[in-house]
């Protein structure tokens, strides 16, 4: 499946619906990597391991840079960074898979050169569980 058509929306605490952030160019890897915890007994012949707590790691979305209005994703997310506000996010793939989580954001504008586009990176510091909703058969 291609990443084409993927969307990222956000809402503030207590909000009822997600607002799409236009200009999305790249989505990150998504999932939790549990820490491997060694738990070997003296009678074991080999080391034994268990999965510990998970780490979502750093998730960075790439956007087209646009700061032409108060509703521009760059400006909206930069203000969220400055306030330290935790927002709710919903990533929607073209097949209907939805991934939701809460995060604080950081915004970094990329550099540029001759014939090079300027973009911005939106990095998530995840503050909740990551919840994946599979698509319904009607949306596939």
């Amino acid at each position: 499946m291609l990443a084409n058509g993927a969307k990222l929306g956000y809402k503030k605490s207590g909000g009822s619906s997600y607002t799409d952030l236009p200009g999305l160019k790249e989505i990150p890897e998504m999932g939790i990597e549990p820490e491997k915890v060694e738990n070997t007994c003296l009678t074991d012949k080999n080391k034994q391991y268990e999965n510990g707590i998970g780490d979502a790691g750093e998730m960075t979305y790439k956007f087209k840079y646009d700061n032409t209005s108060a509703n521009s994703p760059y400006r909206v997310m930069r203000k969220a960074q400055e306030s330290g506000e935790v927002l709710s996010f919903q990533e929607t793939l073209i097949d209907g898979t939805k991934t939701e989580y809460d995060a604080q954001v950081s915004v970094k504008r990329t550099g540029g050169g001759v014939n090079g586009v300027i973009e911005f990176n939106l990095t998530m510091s995840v503050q909740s569980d990551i919840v994946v909703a599979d698509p319904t058969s009607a949306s596939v």
Side-chain angles (χ1 to χ4, degrees):
M1 179 176 83
L2 297 175
N4 299 359
K7 296 179 184 179
L8 181 66
Y10 78 97
K11 67 179 178 179
K12 293 183 179 232
S13 179
S16 59
S17 63
Y18 289 92
T19 301
D20 282 335
L21 295 166
L24 181 62
K25 295 180 76 170
E26 190 175 303
I27 60 175
E29 291 182 346
M30 184 70 65
I32 302 294
E33 291 186 32
E35 184 176 328
K36 183 172 73 170
V37 179
E38 190 262 329
N39 192 12
T40 306
C41 296
L42 294 173
T43 56
D44 292 329
K45 291 184 179 188
N46 299 301
K47 286 189 176 184
Q48 304 293 311
Y49 296 92
E50 297 179 28
N51 283 338
I53 62 172
D55 184 359
E58 189 171 273
M59 298 188 316
T60 301
Y61 292 84
K62 187 171 291 216
F63 283 85
K64 175 181 176 179
Y65 174 80
D66 175 21
N67 193 20
T68 57
S69 75
N71 294 327
S72 298
Y74 175 75
R75 199 177 303 187
V76 171
M77 291 296 110
R78 200 181 76 235
K79 287 181 179 181
Q81 173 187 312
E82 291 166 358
S83 72
E85 183 176 13
V86 175
L87 300 172
S88 295
F89 289 92
Q90 181 183 68
E91 179 187 290
T92 305
L93 300 179
I94 196 72
D95 70 352
T97 302
K98 294 181 186 299
T99 305
E100 296 181 351
Y101 57 91
D102 298 337
Q104 286 183 304
V105 299
S106 64
V107 175
K108 184 175 185 180
R109 198 208 71 212
T110 65
V114 175
N115 278 338
V117 297
I118 297 175
E119 301 168 322
F120 79 90
N121 293 324
L122 179 63
T123 302
M124 307 296 184
S125 295
V126 178
Q127 305 290 310
S128 69
D129 288 338
I130 295 176
V131 178
V132 178
D134 295 323
T136 61
S137 57
S139 65
V140 175

